[in-house]
Amino acid sequence: MKIDATQPLEYGTEENRNRIFGFWLFLGAEIALFATLFTVYFVLVNRFASGPSGPEVFEIAPVLVETFLLLTSSFTIGLAIHAMRLGLKKQMMIFMIITLLLGAGFLAVEIYEFFTYVHEGLTLSTSAFASSLFTLLGTHGAHVAFGLLWGIAILIQLKRHGLDHKTANKSFIFSLYWHFLDVVWIFIFSFVYLKGLM
């Protein structure tokens, strides 16, 4: 396998470059998925029947905590990739662990938020608004949960095999996925929560 030393480690082979390109194509499909979920939400946002509406259940404090945790995790995964490119495996792994802990904190707050909604009478079957909201938030949350498992698997591989062109490629692709989740959350924060509180 020919390794191109002029490229960053994650781009070092043709196979690695193809994997990164393929993952960008996958993210295109993910964009279509979330665009569909947002469209459904916007169509159904005012159809809350006899159940509570967004302004009645949304609270800004937990949403701000979620936003802080997820955006900070985007910064730390960027630091992990920077450390990877410098060949600093230990620092890279530390920043990845911090990223995953922040992601777990995000999920914990989101689960708390879901329990609060249910306590206030907003469940998946309450109304069209509720079902579209839970589907959008739940899909994003499921992606974060998958990302946590994926990140743990990469950490195990880094520990066992060290930092080479394969583990670097996997780590870089994971970082693209994580940044994508952060971008989706910015849209959720802006167009679901902030707009819903107005």
Side-chain angles (χ1 to χ4, degrees), residues 109-126:
V109 176
E110 186 165 68
I111 291 168
Y112 163 80
E113 190 179 25
F114 281 7
F115 277 113
T116 302
Y117 292 162
V118 171
H119 180 72
E120 294 179 7
L122 190 72
T123 67
L124 191 62
S125 59
T126 301

Side-chain angles (χ1 to χ4, degrees), residues 78-192:
L79 292 176
I81 297 304
H82 179 68
M84 177 191 81
R85 287 178 173 168
L86 295 176
L88 305 173
K89 186 185 93 167
K90 183 179 177 182
Q91 289 86 339
M92 174 194 177
M93 291 181 70
I94 289 170
F95 284 124
M96 282 193 70
I97 290 168
I98 293 170
T99 299
L100 298 180
L101 289 174
L102 291 167
F106 168 87
L107 272 185
V109 176
E110 186 165 68
I111 291 168
Y112 163 80
E113 190 179 25
F114 281 7
F115 277 113
T116 302
Y117 292 162
V118 171
H119 180 72
E120 294 179 7
L122 190 72
T123 67
L124 191 62
S125 59
T126 301
S127 63
F129 158 70
S131 62
S132 63
L133 175 70
F134 278 111
T135 302
L136 174 59
L137 298 180
T139 301
H140 179 265
H143 276 70
V144 173
F146 172 77
L148 295 179
L149 297 175
W150 186 7
I152 291 169
I154 289 173
L155 284 170
I156 292 170
Q157 290 180 2
L158 284 166
K159 184 75 175 170
R160 288 182 179 172
H161 307 295
L163 185 55
D164 58 20
H165 69 277
K166 289 184 179 179
T167 53
N169 184 253
K170 292 174 183 178
S171 301
F172 180 72
I173 289 172
F174 171 77
S175 75
L176 294 178
Y177 177 81
W178 200 260
H179 287 308
F180 170 75
L181 297 182
D182 293 334
V183 171
V184 172
W185 180 256
I186 290 171
F187 279 92
I188 291 173
F189 175 74
S190 302
F191 297 107
V192 174

